[in-house]
């Protein structure tokens, strides 16, 4: 018997990660027809610092994955395709980012401090410092 033929390696495009205070949204690479013909699921791995990798799996047709309740820290994310027979693509390039967990400042317009039905606005266009507000009175 001669050497066993192998299918060419499929390199995945980049992943994109959007971080918020306690969550992450991972956007998978485009699932081209070549990727869909070879792989059935995305395997998403992420970890905080040097912790163990956490692994999640999504259908190859999935475009985004949301990960919630993340503790503060620096996270690394990576993705690969997995076939029904267990074959795997190389991991995508890793993406790292910081989840800081800092709550947003309180909204000075909640509850509405304006009297006589006025509209409260704390937008920086109208005020120069955090926790300041302007009341706009109704005409009449």
């Amino acid at each position: 018997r001669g050497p066993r033929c192998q299918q060419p390696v499929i390199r995945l495009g980049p992943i994109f990660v959007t971080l918020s205070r306690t969550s992450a949204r991972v956007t998978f690479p485009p699932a081209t027809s070549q990727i869909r013909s070879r792989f059935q699921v995305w395997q998403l791995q992420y970890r905080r610092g040097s912790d163990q990798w956490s692994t999640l799996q999504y259908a190859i047709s999935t475009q985004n994955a949301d990960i919630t309740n993340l503790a503060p820290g620096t996270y690394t994310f990576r993705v690969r395709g997995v076939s029904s027979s267990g074959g795997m693509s190389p991991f995508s390039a890793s993406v790292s980012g910081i989840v800081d967990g800092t709550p947003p400042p309180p909204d000075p317009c909640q509850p509405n401090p304006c009297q006589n039905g006025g509209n409260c606005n704390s937008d920086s266009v109208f005020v120069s410092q955090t926790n300041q507000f302007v009341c706009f009175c109704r005409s009449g």
Side-chain angles (χ1 to χ4, degrees):
R1 292 177 100 191
R4 185 174 166 207
C5 294
Q6 292 186 342
Q7 292 184 352
V9 172
I10 296 178
R11 302 262 180 232
L12 301 179
I15 61 171
F16 297 94
V17 179
T18 305
L19 299 172
S20 65
R21 291 184 311 109
T22 60
S23 65
R25 169 166 274 204
V26 178
T27 301
F28 296 114
T32 63
S33 59
Q34 185 182 31
I35 288 174
R36 286 191 314 271
S37 70
R38 288 267 299 273
F39 305 112
Q40 284 68 50
V41 297
W42 292 118
Q43 185 181 75
L44 166 62
Q45 290 189 333
Y46 68 96
R47 69 179 179 186
R48 184 175 68 159
S50 59
D51 291 351
Q52 296 272 344
W53 289 101
S54 294
T55 301
L56 302 170
Q57 292 198 13
Y58 298 88
I60 204 73
S61 59
T62 304
Q63 295 178 338
N64 300 299
D66 294 315
I67 305 168
T68 59
N69 299 318
L70 296 174
T74 300
Y75 285 82
T76 303
F77 302 85
R78 64 186 187 181
V79 170
R80 66 179 165 193
V82 180
S83 72
S84 58
S85 65
M88 298 179 190
S89 72
F91 277 108
S92 62
S94 295
V95 175
S96 295
I98 297 174
V99 172
D100 72 4
T102 304
D107 183 350
C109 288
Q110 295 300 323
N112 186 356
C114 301
Q115 297 178 358
N116 301 321
N119 292 320
C120 182
N121 194 313
S122 60
D123 192 314
S124 61
V125 171
F126 302 108
V127 296
S128 60
Q129 296 179 4
T130 303
N131 292 330
Q132 287 187 338
F133 62 91
V134 173
C135 289
F136 292 97
C137 300
R138 295 204 267 177
S139 60

